[in-house]
Each structure stands twice: as C-alpha cells, then as structure tokens.
Amino acid sequence: MSILVVGSVALDSVETPFGVRERVLGGSATYFATSASFFTDVNLVGVVGEDFPQEHTDFLTSRNIDLTGLSKVPGETFHWKGRYGYDLNEAQTLETHLNVFASFKPVIPEQYADAEYLILANIDPELQMEVLNQVKKPKVVACDTMNFWISSKPEALKKVISRVDFFIINEGEARQLSGEANLVRAARKILDMGVKNLIVKRGEYGVLMFNGATVFAAPAFPLEEVFDPTGAGDTFAGGFMGYLANTGNLTDEGVRQAVVFGSVMASFNVEAFSLDRLKTLSYPEIEARYRSFKRMTHFEGVSEL
Ligand code: AMP
C-alpha cells in the first residue's frame, strides 16, 4: 500500500562537532519519503523554489518517489540552519527561512485523495489539518511536529493530534506540549488530549511508545560514529510507516516491529550528513541490522516469573 507524505522539502545548513555542510538536501518530507521508499511506494506533496537543484529531484525520483505533488514555484526553497553540540540529541535552530513555504497551500492531487497511509510531517499544524480534510478515508495517519509549532500554534496542533493514529515527537517536545518534566506523566497528559498512540523519540536513548494500556521501549542502535542527527526523527517515522504500509499488520506485534524498523532506518541516517547514508543504503543492510537489533534486545524469561 502506498503512503502519502506532506511536509517540508528543504535546503539545510548544518553544523555538528564533526563538520559543516551548507545548503544540502533536507526537509521533513524528504527524509520521511526516502526512508519509507525502502518499504513501499511513496507520494510526496510539498513545495520548492526555483533554486532547488535538479540533482535532488533526480535522487528522489530514483527512489521511486512520486513527485506529482511537489510544486516548483518562483522564489527560494525553505531553508533551515541548525547546530548540534556534543549532545547530539538537541538541535539548536539558528535560522528558519520559510521562503516559498510561507504561502504554501497543500493541494492533494485527485489520485492521492484515497490514500490509506498518510504522514503529516513537520509543517504548520493548520496546513496539516487542511491535508487531513482533503484525504477521504485514511486507514493510518501519523503526525510529527516541532517546538516552533508547539509554542506558536498549540490549539491548532491539539486539533490535529486528536485525529491521528500515531503522534511521533521527541522528548523535549513531549515535555513542552504537556508542561510535565516526567515523560510518563507527559505521555498520559498527551494521550488525554485524544492521541491514540504516542511515540516519543529520545535520540541515542531510543523510543518509547504509549497507548494508554501498554508501553513499548526500543533502544537506539549503539553506533560508534554519529555525524549528523538531522532528520533522524523523520527517517524513523518513514521506516515505521513504510513497514506498516508494506505489511498492513496493525496488531501490537506489527506496530512494535515497525518501531524497530524505524529505529534501524534512523540509525543509518545519522551515520553521515544530510541524506548521504540513505543514498548508499541497501535493503539487505536494513535486514541485517534488524536482526542485530533483535539479538541485542533479546532476553529469556525467568521460568518462575
Ligand atoms: P528532524 O531532525 O527529524 O527533526 O528534522 C529535521 C528537518 O526538519 C530538517 O531537514 C529541516 O529542514 C526541517 N525543518 C526544520 N524546521 C522546520 C519547520 N519549522 N517546518 C518544517 N520543517 C522544518
């Protein structure tokens, strides 16, 4: 089953302790779509400016991502500039230039209106709602956001998250949205806002998934080299939704497997700047890391317990 993603397509300038890159390919929808494309067909809706290099379009097309919904308009592409210190879990936003994104009104092409799997990647929650209203009967909807929207449009965001199946945010955002420092309490408050399933990304500490009845914890894959965490969250979400769309398995077990595939995809993405690692990645490598993940987290039950 194919996935529809709506989000940002960007040129990013990123600084980490391991290097600097200027105006490289980025954006929430870009990372998501590329990651999901290893599992299923992806349709992308977004906007770029006239400065968006053809090589990036060619790359996305080479991943079989349908770009019918990616419009190119006069002006400059969305540009985000961020910096990471040695604590790679927290990005410091230095500049956000919305550019062509400022007047972006997502129009879902007719052939995508029946999409069953939909991801509202990180964009203005008012736009996320407009998209949600244009997709007729989605089976699974996931949504991401960021601190920028939690502080500027909290009410619009709350309306969106009460209508999605999986709300995927990082731990700082969970604390900010709930006003709770403790993550378990934060999760309860967010579920009380009408969220069905909450996935909290904790960078190098992994992921926690809450649904009100059970909690699932997956570690991050331990890596010796992390160069650039930009896009890790979107890459996670791409692997997660891509796997769900591929298998259609929405049981507790299927969703847990999807969380691990998401974690595997994110672990590859952080190994290089921009989407460089995803550009060389192959499906057998993904499977091999999934198997390592399984061995790493497996332990036997104690018979008397
Ligand atoms: P992540 O590291 O997964 O949270 O996502 C990083 C990506 O989000 C970068 O490639 C940015 O281009 C994009 N981004 C940053 N700020 C915004 C924003 N305000 N709206 C949409 N996308 C953004």
Side-chain angles (χ1 to χ4, degrees), residues 7-14 24-31 78-81 84 91 93 95-96 98 101 121-124 144-149 170 173 201 228-236 269 275:
S8 59
V9 176
L11 294 174
D12 288 346
S13 296
V14 182
V24 288
L25 179 60
S28 56
T30 314
Y31 281 104
F78 174 77
H79 179 226
W80 177 76
K81 183 171 183 175
Y84 297 83
T93 293
E95 292 171 31
T96 300
L98 292 175
F101 222 61
N122 174 26
I123 47 168
D124 184 331
D144 189 1
T145 192
M146 71 181 299
N147 50 10
F148 188 79
W149 306 117
N170 69 35
E173 291 155 0
K201 300 165 287 180
D228 176 15
T230 310
D234 306 305
T235 309
F236 168 88
N269 183 57
L275 284 94

Side-chain angles (χ1 to χ4, degrees), residues 89-90 169-192 198-203 205-212 215-217:
N89 284 342
E90 203 69 58
I169 50 177
N170 69 35
E171 61 177 316
E173 291 155 0
R175 293 196 172 97
Q176 184 189 358
L177 180 62
S178 63
E180 288 284 352
N182 177 286
L183 266 191
V184 181
R185 289 170 75 105
R188 182 148 44 79
K189 275 205 169 172
I190 295 171
L191 291 175
D192 284 347
L198 172 69
I199 299 183
V200 182
K201 300 165 287 180
R202 308 181 60 225
Y205 305 111
V207 166
L208 287 173
M209 178 167 62
F210 301 85
N211 63 13
V215 181
F216 177 61

Side-chain angles (χ1 to χ4, degrees), residues 148-164:
F148 188 79
W149 306 117
I150 296 173
S151 51
S152 60
K153 300 199 174 174
E155 292 316 314
L157 180 65
K158 283 180 190 166
K159 282 193 192 132
V160 173
I161 64 179
S162 69
R163 287 183 53 187
V164 307

Side-chain angles (χ1 to χ4, degrees), residues 120 125-126 128-130 132-133 143 153-164 167 177 193-196:
L120 305 167
E126 287 173 9
Q128 291 178 320
M129 186 58 98
E130 281 181 27
L132 205 45
N133 289 337
C143 159
K153 300 199 174 174
E155 292 316 314
L157 180 65
K158 283 180 190 166
K159 282 193 192 132
V160 173
I161 64 179
S162 69
R163 287 183 53 187
V164 307
F167 183 35
L177 180 62
M193 294 172 190
V195 170
K196 294 189 193 82

Side-chain angles (χ1 to χ4, degrees), residues 36-106:
S37 72
F38 285 88
F39 302 90
T40 193
D41 295 335
V42 184
N43 305 316
L44 188 154
V45 171
V47 64
V48 292
E50 281 162 336
D51 57 347
F52 193 67
Q54 184 61 35
E55 61 172 298
H56 297 335
T57 312
D58 293 343
F59 162 67
L60 294 169
T61 308
S62 78
R63 293 274 350 136
N64 251 332
I65 298 167
D66 185 318
L67 300 179
T68 311
L70 180 68
S71 36
K72 196 172 213 176
V73 300
E76 284 184 47
T77 301
F78 174 77
H79 179 226
W80 177 76
K81 183 171 183 175
R83 179 193 292 147
Y84 297 83
Y86 278 98
D87 174 7
L88 292 167
N89 284 342
E90 203 69 58
Q92 189 192 347
T93 293
L94 302 175
E95 292 171 31
T96 300
H97 300 278
L98 292 175
N99 297 335
V100 292
F101 222 61
S103 49
F104 175 53
K105 287 271 168 233

